[in-house]
Amino acid sequence: QINMKNLFLLIGLFLSVNVFSQTKSTQTVTFSVKGNCEQCKERIENAADIKGVKVCTWEEKTQVATVVYSPDKVSPDQIKQAIAKAGHDVGDIKSTDVAYKKLPKCCQYRDNKCEDKK
């Protein structure tokens, strides 16, 4: 027979195991991602916002994106491809010329540095 004290103990144990397993199922990876400015930052972070990605932050100064993701839902290569599709080179994965040329002039990091910094 289960009394209320044991029931609460059982529920608490279940919740703590469930929370622990959720936090353990994410991984963090970093990529070198080329860009110039705040517009690039927004574009890169939005491009990485695909199923399985929890959060992506890109730092202009270091040219590095840090991504927290669920490996059972998405692979690092899929994340890189999504960013490259938005026009940004990711490590050894180059964006297509078509996607790159769609970037605003300020964001065309292969050709110049952003002159429109705010």
Side-chain angles (χ1 to χ4, degrees), residues 21-70:
S21 66
Q22 286 178 1
T23 56
K24 191 173 168 112
S25 68
T26 61
Q27 292 184 3
T28 303
V29 67
T30 58
F31 308 125
S32 168
V33 182
K34 298 297 180 192
N36 280 342
C37 61
E38 284 295 315
Q39 285 183 54
C40 294
K41 177 180 176 64
E42 186 175 340
R43 187 179 311 98
I44 291 164
E45 292 174 355
N46 286 339
D49 188 14
I50 59 176
K51 185 176 180 163
V53 172
K54 303 294 183 191
V55 67
C56 173
T57 54
W58 179 76
E59 295 296 325
E60 179 183 346
K61 195 174 209 173
T62 61
Q63 301 281 294
V64 172
T66 303
V67 183
V68 178
Y69 69 101
S70 297

Side-chain angles (χ1 to χ4, degrees), residues 9-21:
L9 188 60
L10 189 60
I11 289 172
L13 180 63
F14 173 76
L15 290 176
S16 65
V17 167
N18 194 26
V19 167
F20 178 75
S21 66

Side-chain angles (χ1 to χ4, degrees), residues 53-103:
V53 172
K54 303 294 183 191
V55 67
C56 173
T57 54
W58 179 76
E59 295 296 325
E60 179 183 346
K61 195 174 209 173
T62 61
Q63 301 281 294
V64 172
T66 303
V67 183
V68 178
Y69 69 101
S70 297
D72 57 329
K73 294 181 182 170
V74 68
S75 72
D77 198 53
Q78 289 171 309
I79 300 165
K80 288 180 184 180
Q81 291 294 341
I83 296 170
K85 196 173 181 180
H88 294 273
D89 295 344
V90 186
D92 58 348
I93 298 175
K94 300 292 182 212
S95 174
T96 65
D97 287 340
V98 171
Y100 176 78
K101 288 178 180 171
K102 286 183 182 177
L103 294 175

Side-chain angles (χ1 to χ4, degrees), residues 37-39 114-118:
C37 61
E38 284 295 315
Q39 285 183 54
C114 183
E115 302 296 326
D116 301 336
K117 289 194 180 197
K118 295 175 182 165

